[in-house]
Amino acid sequence: MEVCVSDDFSLKQVIQKIIKSATGERCADLDGGELEKKLEAILNGRKYLHLLDDVWNEEAQKWLLLKPLLSKGAGGSKIIVTTRSQRVAEIMGTVPAYNLSLLGQEDCLSLFYKCAFKDGQMELYPNLVAIGKEIVAKCKQVPLAVINMGNQLYGKTEEKEWESVRDSEKWEEEGDGILPALKISYQRLPTHLKRCFLYCSVFPKDYLFRDLLMVQFWMAHGLILQTSNPNEKLEDVGLRYVRELISRCFYQDYDDFTYVAIFKMHDLMHDLASSLAQNEFSIISSQNHQISKTTRHFSVTDSDSFFHQTLPKFPNNFHQVRSIVFADSIAGPTCKIDFEKCLLEFKHLRSLELMDDSEFEAFPERIDALKHLRYTHFGGNAKIKRLPKSIFKLQNLQALAVGFGLEELPKDVRYMINLRFLFVVTKQKRLPEGGIGCLECLQTLFIVGCENLENLCEDMQGLKSLRKLVIGGCDSLISLPRSIKCLTTLEELFIIKCKKLDLMTIEEEKEKKIQPLSLSLRIIIFAALPATFALPEQLLQGSAESFQTFIIKDCPNIKEMPNCINLKKLQNLKISDCSSLSKWCRRGTGEDWLKIKNIRKIMVDDDDSGEETSD
């Protein structure tokens, strides 16, 4: 079991997290006593390993209440606690704490130079090497500070740049080498990236960011600046912001799945953002019920405290609020009523998010009072079964992510005329015409986890601005509408894990000989499509001039590659776990096809044969 505790050690929430880690159950509707009994029953007589990560709370009483509940496991069970507080280690430890040693000075230098210089460049700039040694000495042998400083200077060869880092007054501030280094990194950010970074502090520690949603959140608050290039969309600019912050080590654990990238923020980076934005950002927890007139963004880690203590005490401090993140399981019989009341206070709210483990069952009918709302996300919520009709009156809404419990996405979604991003999970069998297909501003559409969905809407040609389409985990999906071939602005197409889907259903009958439209597809991924026997030639032919990346994975029945693909444009090809197609590539038919020199990377991987070719 693994639980990130972070700053707020609420006994009830910690127990809920432990149970969820052990069983997957959320248990938001259980009271404290019921949760304790359930945890004891789960651990009773079982040997376990439990990680309590990033513990800060120094109140011994809270640990003494949790410890007996964890003692029900079998002999040999272990609990590992990570903390940056010696006091916490003394309270919780039954063995001496293991203190991580500092990195050796020589290793620090090696690490810094590796981060700061391109290959072979170090020997060319002995003056920078000497300055770098002085910078590393100020990092006090802390690897995070060393890495951060090295990445800040990567590719920079002007001596003044290095000297400005070395001579920064921030080094004189109190700290162990980490926070001064991070403050210098923050200082060197362009103004637009500083604002984007600070806004991340509204999300809880250990939050799993998705790049596409992060960009929509920034857009909702007007943080992304339009460039002079009229063809570059705000979404493209925002993704560039994400990549730049990652390259500067403001995010970590970056994982790119092509259709979406995920990453986290280091706890110390979160501390930095929170300290710099403390006047505008606040966390409502079981320990903090305060909210000031300067607070514009806050996260709620304890809904009971928020609804029953913060709201009544500070009724006039909410008109200026722009974003709320409910970061705990919202439960309780009065929750909907409380939420309905508090909506009237947030007249200028731009973004509203319910975390993935939220148990909130319904949106208030009066959600249309949030006329300025631009972003709302409850994509991981499994309890919300329907959307109130009033939500479709939110004509300023730009991004909507709806959850796994939704029975139906009504046609009324067409009234959201400014919607640019839609993530939908629905239990209906068919997406009706006159709904999604009317969203002319929509640029990104995710249709995922729709287990009952057999057919999409036939009027997809109405999506005149769509650039990214992701269809995944729709096991009952039989066919795709032919109107997909009319999406002339579509640049990225991902169709994944659809067991019954035959891609050829989007092709016209051959005798009609329809001339394919000129399309804009750059990236296509087809994965886990066992019912597909051939690739849609007309779709690929229409994108001959723009096509760059083609990935086909786990499609065992596709036998050959269409000849219509323009190999002069294609840069990356990956064929994985496609036994029939891999054999075709290795036969004489595919041999010439694989020799094209314009392709930068080809990978053919067939698990059955155990062979792999890569060039």
Side-chain angles (χ1 to χ4, degrees):
M1 301 172 293
E2 179 182 357
V3 169
C4 180
V5 179
S6 203
D7 300 321
D8 188 19
F9 194 104
S10 162
L11 184 63
K12 181 179 178 180
Q13 289 184 16
V14 170
I15 296 173
Q16 284 175 332
K17 288 180 179 180
I18 295 173
I19 293 172
K20 184 181 177 183
S21 179
T23 67
E25 297 179 65
R26 295 177 176 178
C27 304
D29 53 342
L30 300 183
D31 62 28
E34 292 170 325
L35 284 169
E36 292 178 11
K37 289 179 182 178
K38 189 170 184 67
L39 179 59
E40 289 183 4
I42 291 169
L43 300 182
N44 189 29
R46 300 177 70 182
K47 188 176 179 179
Y48 67 83
L49 173 65
H50 181 33
L51 172 63
L52 279 170
D53 188 30
D54 196 27
V55 181
W56 279 100
N57 190 277
E58 297 181 353
E59 296 179 41
Q61 185 61 31
K62 290 190 175 182
W63 170 236
L64 294 175
L65 291 172
L66 178 62
K67 188 176 179 180
L69 305 178
L70 298 175
S71 65
K72 303 297 181 180
S77 296
K78 302 290 183 186
I79 301 172
I80 299 173
V81 176
T82 69
T83 182
R84 283 180 271 153
S85 164
Q86 185 64 37
R87 175 63 178 155
V88 170
E90 291 170 357
I91 292 171
M92 301 183 72
T94 57
V95 295
Y98 182 85
N99 294 305
L100 291 175
S101 60
L102 296 172
L103 192 64
Q105 190 64 26
E106 289 303 314
D107 288 329
C108 283
L109 284 170
S110 175
L111 182 60
F112 175 82
Y113 294 143
K114 184 177 180 179
C115 293
F117 290 106
K118 298 178 181 179
D119 289 341
Q121 195 182 49
M122 185 174 162
E123 293 77 12
L124 302 176
Y125 298 98
N127 56 328
L128 300 185
V129 170
I131 297 172
K133 192 171 184 178
E134 295 178 81
I135 292 172
V136 170
K138 293 174 181 286
C139 292
K140 299 182 181 178
Q141 298 176 264
V142 178
L144 179 63
V146 172
I147 292 170
N148 201 275
M149 289 293 92
N151 279 301
Q152 291 299 313
L153 294 167
Y154 179 77
K156 306 286 177 62
T157 56
E158 292 186 13
E159 196 167 313
K160 286 184 178 179
E161 288 249 24
W162 289 58
E163 289 175 341
S164 68
V165 171
R166 180 196 63 190
D167 300 334
S168 172
E169 60 186 22
K170 294 294 180 184
W171 293 115
E172 306 304 320
E173 296 182 9
E174 289 186 14
D176 54 7
I178 301 179
L179 284 179
L182 300 188
K183 286 180 180 179
I184 292 171
S185 299
Y186 172 78
Q187 246 184 351
R188 294 171 60 82
L189 285 176
T191 301
H192 60 277
L193 290 183
K194 285 180 179 178
R195 294 176 66 210
C196 290
F197 170 66
L198 293 184
Y199 269 67
C200 295
S201 64
V202 74
F203 297 95
K205 286 185 177 180
D206 216 36
Y207 180 80
L208 190 65
F209 293 100
R210 288 95 166 167
D211 60 350
L212 300 176
L213 287 170
M214 170 70 84
V215 169
Q216 294 298 324
F217 174 76
W218 285 339
M219 286 172 59
H221 295 284
L223 300 180
I224 299 179
L225 307 176
Q226 182 65 60
T227 65
S228 57
N229 182 358
N231 296 320
E232 189 172 42
K233 306 296 183 185
L234 289 176
E235 286 83 353
D236 300 323
V237 180
L239 289 173
R240 193 165 67 247
Y241 288 5
V242 171
R243 289 192 295 271
E244 189 166 353
L245 285 167
I246 287 169
S247 71
R248 293 169 179 257
C249 293
F250 282 84
Y251 302 128
Q252 63 175 23
D253 299 338
Y254 177 80
D255 207 344
D256 189 354
F257 294 100
T258 308
Y259 56 91
V260 68
I262 60 174
F263 48 92
K264 290 184 178 181
M265 180 182 282
H266 193 284
D267 285 351
L268 288 171
M269 283 295 185
H270 194 282
D271 290 344
L272 174 67
S274 299
S275 66
L276 293 170
Q278 59 185 346
N279 292 330
E280 291 189 32
F281 292 77
S282 182
I283 297 174
I284 309 300
S285 66
S286 58
Q287 298 174 347
N288 176 38
H289 316 304
Q290 307 294 313
I291 186 167
S292 72
K293 290 184 177 181
T294 61
T295 301
R296 295 170 67 86
H297 315 273
F298 63 84
S299 57
V300 178
T301 62
D302 189 312
S303 298
D304 287 337
S305 296
F306 173 68
F307 286 128
H308 302 126
Q309 296 185 53
T310 307
L311 277 176
K313 282 184 180 179
F314 306 97
N316 299 317
N317 288 0
F318 295 96
H319 296 294
Q320 76 285 353
V321 172
R322 296 293 183 269
S323 62
I324 307 176
V325 175
F326 284 99
D328 74 334
S329 299
I330 305 176
T334 63
C335 180
K336 183 178 178 181
I337 299 170
D338 291 331
F339 204 0
E340 187 89 44
K341 289 178 181 177
C342 82
L343 282 181
L344 300 176
E345 304 291 341
F346 303 117
K347 294 182 179 179
H348 301 286
L349 199 67
R350 296 291 188 92
S351 67
L352 173 64
E353 177 158 352
L354 307 180
M355 296 288 282
D356 285 355
D357 60 353
S358 166
E359 295 288 324
F360 190 55
E361 295 185 357
F363 265 115
E365 291 295 334
R366 297 195 62 186
I367 193 170
D368 60 328
L370 305 178
K371 296 184 184 299
H372 299 280
L373 195 66
R374 285 166 168 75
Y375 169 94
T376 184
H377 175 219
F378 52 99
N381 183 291
K383 291 291 183 92
I384 296 179
K385 292 181 169 49
R386 69 173 189 86
L387 298 175
K389 286 189 177 182
S390 62
I391 197 172
F392 301 110
K393 295 179 182 179
L394 297 174
Q395 294 193 355
N396 285 315
L397 199 68
Q398 296 176 355
L400 173 65
V402 296
F404 287 87
L406 198 68
E407 298 284 350
E408 177 188 11
L409 183 68
K411 277 187 178 183
D412 290 350
V413 71
R414 68 183 182 273
Y415 296 123
M416 293 179 164
I417 55 175
N418 286 306
L419 206 62
R420 299 169 70 104
F421 178 97
L422 177 60
F423 178 101
V424 60
V425 188
T426 174
K427 294 183 179 179
Q428 61 204 105
K429 286 189 175 183
R430 182 183 180 89
L431 292 180
E433 295 183 28
I436 289 177
C438 298
L439 298 173
E440 294 188 5
C441 290
L442 196 66
Q443 297 202 26
T444 303
L445 174 59
F446 278 75
I447 301 173
V448 297
C450 304
E451 297 179 354
N452 302 324
L453 192 65
E454 296 177 358
N455 301 99
L456 305 182
C457 49
E458 288 291 340
D459 58 347
M460 293 190 74
Q461 70 275 8
L463 300 174
K464 297 179 180 180
S465 303
L466 195 67
R467 300 169 65 218
K468 181 194 287 278
L469 174 60
V470 180
I471 302 170
C474 301
D475 290 341
S476 299
L477 190 63
I478 300 169
S479 63
L480 296 177
R482 292 176 181 174
S483 55
I484 279 185
K485 299 197 303 298
C486 300
L487 298 175
T488 56
T489 58
L490 192 64
E491 298 176 3
E492 301 177 32
L493 176 62
F494 308 94
I495 303 178
I496 303 164
K497 293 183 180 179
C498 298
K499 294 180 181 178
K500 297 181 180 180
L501 178 62
D502 180 4
L503 289 175
M504 291 303 292
T505 56
I506 65 175
E507 297 286 83
E508 299 284 353
E509 295 176 12
K510 288 187 177 180
E511 58 267 23
K512 291 185 179 179
K513 295 183 179 179
I514 302 296
Q515 182 67 28
L517 293 171
S518 177
L519 304 179
S520 308
L521 280 166
R522 294 184 298 103
I523 302 172
I524 291 182
I525 295 181
F526 295 141
L529 306 175
T532 290
F533 288 81
L535 294 169
E537 189 166 341
Q538 290 181 20
L539 183 71
L540 298 172
Q541 187 175 353
S543 302
E545 293 302 311
S546 57
F547 207 15
Q548 295 177 8
T549 296
F550 197 14
I551 298 175
I552 312 171
K553 182 177 180 180
D554 194 15
C555 298
N557 293 313
I558 297 177
K559 293 183 171 59
E560 63 181 22
M561 195 76 68
N563 293 322
C564 63
I565 297 177
N566 187 340
L567 299 173
K568 293 181 180 179
K569 297 286 185 179
L570 194 64
Q571 296 177 6
N572 299 294
L573 169 69
K574 181 174 182 181
I575 301 170
S576 176
D577 300 327
C578 300
S579 52
S580 300
L581 192 53
S582 299
K583 290 173 185 175
W584 174 83
C585 288
R586 295 186 177 92
R587 291 200 310 266
T589 346
E591 190 172 316
D592 293 336
W593 202 88
L594 287 173
K595 286 182 179 178
I596 301 298
K597 295 179 181 179
N598 302 76
I599 299 180
R600 297 176 186 172
K601 183 176 182 181
I602 296 177
M603 182 173 288
V604 181
D605 179 9
D606 180 8
D607 283 348
D608 293 335
S609 67
E611 299 178 23
E612 179 179 299
T613 63
S614 180
D615 189 3

